[in-house]
Amino acid sequence: DAKTTQPPSMDCAEGRAANLPCNHSTISGNEYVYWYRQIHSQGPQYIIHGLKNNETNEMASLIITEDRKSSTLILPHATLRDTAVYYCIVRSSRSNDYKLSFGAGTTVTVRA
Amino acid sequence: GAVVSQHPSRVICKSGTSVKIECRSLDFQATTMFWYRQFPKQSLMLMATSNEGSKATYEQGVEKDKFLINHASLTLSTLTVTSAHPEDSSFYICSAIPTPPQVPYFGPGTRLTVT
């Protein structure tokens, strides 16, 4: 599975949109981009995933560039409860193996 | 959404004893579950894949005789840490894949402290 690169940390203002970048320049055509977050001392929480098209759900939006080498997770209105470590993970869609390889992620701090 | 539970949420045990951690899929069946470990200020590391009705597969460097995995039913996998030592103190997290949406969901984790 392709590796991902994320900034180690980000600060966001409460009520503003938070844009979290992820670089996955070696991604192949059959690999999905997944986003999870982990609030302190809890298990990771699924946020969203996508293959080529932009995706939106009740939690966030995922914007994938046309060449698929990078993506951005958008939290439209950040709240203090969105403070967490956010992980961008790439996984092959062909594989029935749902093992996920976690990197260091981005520690997002939402400030009042 | 799909729910994965773990029990206990935290456990303290003495060095040399064994501890069992349960992972349950509450509203779906899971033929495969995954066990991860997370040390303080580090990311999650996959330990093993638990397969219902067959042997677990372990990641390189994980001792299968120390971390016993049993996946006896389609909703339950257990991880037993045998002869625990202080260095086994960690946050243990399981995941399972409901269909739909075929996305890995994670349990809340179990904090193990070995004294």
Side-chain angles (χ1 to χ4, degrees), chain A residues 36 38 46 98-100 102-103, chain B residues 36 38 43 46 102-104 107:
Chain A
Y36 285 80
Q38 186 177 25
Y46 167 76
Y98 287 86
K99 296 189 287 190
L100 296 180
F102 285 79
Chain B
Y36 294 79
Q38 185 176 32
S43 192
L46 179 68
Q102 268 188 308
V103 169

Side-chain angles (χ1 to χ4, degrees), chain B residues 34-46:
Chain B
F34 300 93
W35 287 96
Y36 294 79
R37 180 169 53 181
Q38 185 176 32
F39 292 108
K41 299 192 183 302
Q42 295 186 23
S43 192
L44 282 78
M45 292 294 294
L46 179 68

Side-chain angles (χ1 to χ4, degrees), chain A residues 34 36 38 40-46 49 87 91 96-105, chain B residues 34 36 38 42-44 46 49 59 91 93 95 97 101-109 111:
Chain A
Y34 288 77
Y36 285 80
Q38 186 177 25
H40 183 63
S41 294
Q42 296 182 24
Q45 177 188 22
Y46 167 76
H49 75 288
Y87 297 100
R91 193 194 75 84
N96 289 324
D97 186 346
Y98 287 86
K99 296 189 287 190
L100 296 180
S101 179
F102 285 79
Chain B
F34 300 93
Y36 294 79
Q38 185 176 32
Q42 295 186 23
S43 192
L44 282 78
L46 179 68
T49 302
E59 296 299 301
F91 193 48
I93 309 166
S95 79
I97 301 92
Q102 268 188 308
V103 169
Y105 279 81
F106 287 81
R111 177 79 56 193

Side-chain angles (χ1 to χ4, degrees), chain B residues 36-85:
Chain B
Y36 294 79
R37 180 169 53 181
Q38 185 176 32
F39 292 108
K41 299 192 183 302
Q42 295 186 23
S43 192
L44 282 78
M45 292 294 294
L46 179 68
M47 298 176 66
T49 302
S50 172
N51 304 297
E52 189 267 336
S54 65
K55 290 183 179 180
T57 55
Y58 292 81
E59 296 299 301
Q60 193 171 6
V62 177
E63 300 174 58
K64 62 180 181 182
D65 294 330
K66 181 169 184 62
F67 298 99
L68 302 180
I69 291 173
N70 188 324
H71 195 147
S73 78
L74 288 172
T75 59
L76 174 65
S77 174
T78 60
L79 170 69
T80 301
V81 183
T82 63
S83 187
H85 291 288

Side-chain angles (χ1 to χ4, degrees), chain A residues 5-12 19-21 84-86 104-111:
Chain A
T5 304
Q6 299 177 252
S9 63
M10 286 181 58
D11 278 7
C12 306
N19 297 317
L20 282 60
V85 179
Y86 287 76
T106 297
T107 299
V108 174
T109 303
V110 181
R111 301 191 187 280

